[in-house]
Amino acid sequence: MNRKILCVLVPVLLLQCALPVQAALRVVACEPEWGALAQELGGTSVDVSVATTALQDPHQIQAKPSLVARMRNADLVICTGAELEVGWLPILLQQSGNRKIQSGQAGNFSAADFVRKLQVPANVDRSQGDVHAAGNPHVQTDPRNIARIAAAMTARLQQLDPAQASGYAQRAADFARRWEDAMRRWTGQAAKLKGVTVVSQHNGFVYLYDWLGLKEVAVLEPKPGVEPSVSHLQSVLSTLKATPATMVLYAAYQDPRPSEWLSRNSGIAAVKVPFTVGGSEGAADLFGLFDDTIARLLAVSKR
Ligand SMILES: [Zn+2]
């Protein structure tokens, strides 16, 4: 007997025929990279919504009512943590009235908790600008961090949705295999970037540099989150006379003008990197994010 006939003949099964057997876990990701990872690991067991786009500055998001509404209905909120969203996420969580996603609950996942942080300050002095006391939060620029976070995220999905635990395990194993292969390819391609000197517009790439062995010689922002003045740009320019750099990197969400100014005045290339999924046409998913980032760096490196 086929399923259609069964549904008509057996009333008790009607509900099961009309509704999916298991409602998907409602996931809200603060940034596109975590939305993409949740989708990779959750498949059809998750319903993912992303709070921001690659063209928005994740340090400074407006806590809009539409975001509060999404948080209200979420089973799991996945953010970077390490104070990246300190200016907007606490307001959203509080206004959501959703106990499941508050800090410390299983429905609150901070990706940066699961990796070794770089640039953790010995003491926090807020006069030094938008300093992150928990260390540099931009952990998604190193694919080794993505692998660690994927493992932790899988465990959290299984905890919240135990009925689908074996499905999550299967997807995680499949992702880990494809990610390992991709990382081998990327490190091979990027071998010639080792030791290349670079300038950053914002200190958003320390994990990328740590992974590939790039050497940062200057940062255009005088303090994190502070737009560089012309006099600060001039001082970076003179630094480069003593310590030349090959390129200046800025993220897709940033105003390109400081990097373009440096490029014009020093002759080094200004490179826009996607920074997260959706930051460029090539960065359509997590794999594309690193394919495209490395391609852009290789295109301007002369070594
Ligand atoms: Zn930052």
Side-chain angles (χ1 to χ4, degrees):
M1 194 182 304
N2 73 34
R3 185 173 162 85
K4 203 170 171 183
I5 296 168
L6 200 70
C7 288
V8 173
L9 294 182
V10 188
V12 78
L13 288 178
L14 272 174
L15 197 64
Q16 286 195 0
C17 295
L19 296 169
V21 177
Q22 176 89 21
L25 207 63
R26 283 162 303 195
V27 176
V28 176
C30 283
E31 290 86 23
E33 64 272 26
W34 310 131
L37 186 57
Q39 197 61 72
E40 289 274 0
L41 300 172
T44 55
S45 299
V46 294
D47 178 4
V48 179
S49 131
V50 182
T52 62
T53 75
L55 302 184
Q56 287 179 288
D57 179 348
H59 308 80
Q60 306 196 37
I61 298 296
Q62 245 196 310
K64 289 182 298 190
S66 60
L67 290 179
V68 175
R70 282 200 253 172
M71 297 281 174
R72 186 168 297 142
N73 297 315
D75 298 306
L76 173 61
V77 170
I78 301 175
C79 298
T80 297
E83 298 190 356
L84 176 65
E85 303 97 349
V86 74
W88 54 281
L89 183 61
I91 305 164
L92 291 180
L93 293 180
Q94 193 231 322
Q95 292 190 353
S96 75
N98 182 348
R99 289 180 55 192
K100 291 187 290 187
I101 59 166
Q102 301 303 314
S103 177
Q105 300 299 311
N108 184 304
F109 182 94
S110 292
D113 286 354
F114 301 95
V115 301
R116 181 177 60 93
K117 251 95 64 219
L118 302 175
Q119 295 182 335
V120 180
N123 48 41
V124 178
D125 177 358
R126 297 282 171 192
S127 72
Q128 293 307 299
D130 192 11
V131 171
H132 300 296
N136 191 300
H138 305 295
V139 298
Q140 86 284 1
T141 60
D142 180 345
R144 297 171 302 182
N145 286 345
I146 302 278
R148 292 183 194 110
I149 291 161
M153 198 184 288
T154 298
R156 189 64 62 89
L157 290 168
Q158 291 174 317
Q159 181 187 346
L160 291 172
D161 186 11
Q164 307 292 324
S166 65
Y168 292 122
Q170 233 165 50
R171 294 192 70 92
D174 176 59
F175 175 75
R177 190 178 40 73
R178 289 183 293 125
W179 198 248
E180 284 294 328
D181 288 348
M183 281 202 288
R184 247 191 308 279
R185 186 177 77 242
W186 294 324
T187 45
Q189 289 168 340
K192 64 182 78 143
L193 292 170
K194 200 166 180 181
V196 167
T197 51
V198 296
V199 176
S200 315
Q201 183 163 321
H202 172 69
N203 64 349
F205 312 105
V206 289
Y207 297 91
L208 176 73
Y209 302 158
D210 183 58
W211 173 47
L212 296 179
L214 291 159
K215 297 267 176 287
E216 184 180 73
V217 300
V219 178
L220 289 187
E221 289 179 351
K223 296 173 181 178
V226 176
E227 285 296 306
S229 62
V230 172
S231 69
H232 184 76
L233 289 173
Q234 293 284 6
S235 82
V236 172
L237 193 58
S238 50
T239 303
L240 294 188
K241 294 212 171 79
T243 326
T246 307
M247 60 185 101
V248 52
L249 277 73
Y250 65 99
Y253 74 83
Q254 290 185 295
D255 180 347
R257 284 176 295 183
S259 290
E260 285 168 354
W261 184 94
L262 189 72
S263 174
R264 253 195 330 275
N265 287 279
S266 67
I268 70 172
V271 184
K272 176 163 91 173
V273 288
F275 195 59
T276 184
V277 173
S280 67
E281 216 169 286
D285 61 12
L286 284 167
F287 293 87
L289 169 61
F290 289 96
D291 280 334
D292 193 48
T293 300
I294 288 169
R296 284 166 186 254
L297 298 180
L298 287 173
V300 296
S301 75
K302 297 176 181 75
R303 289 168 49 160

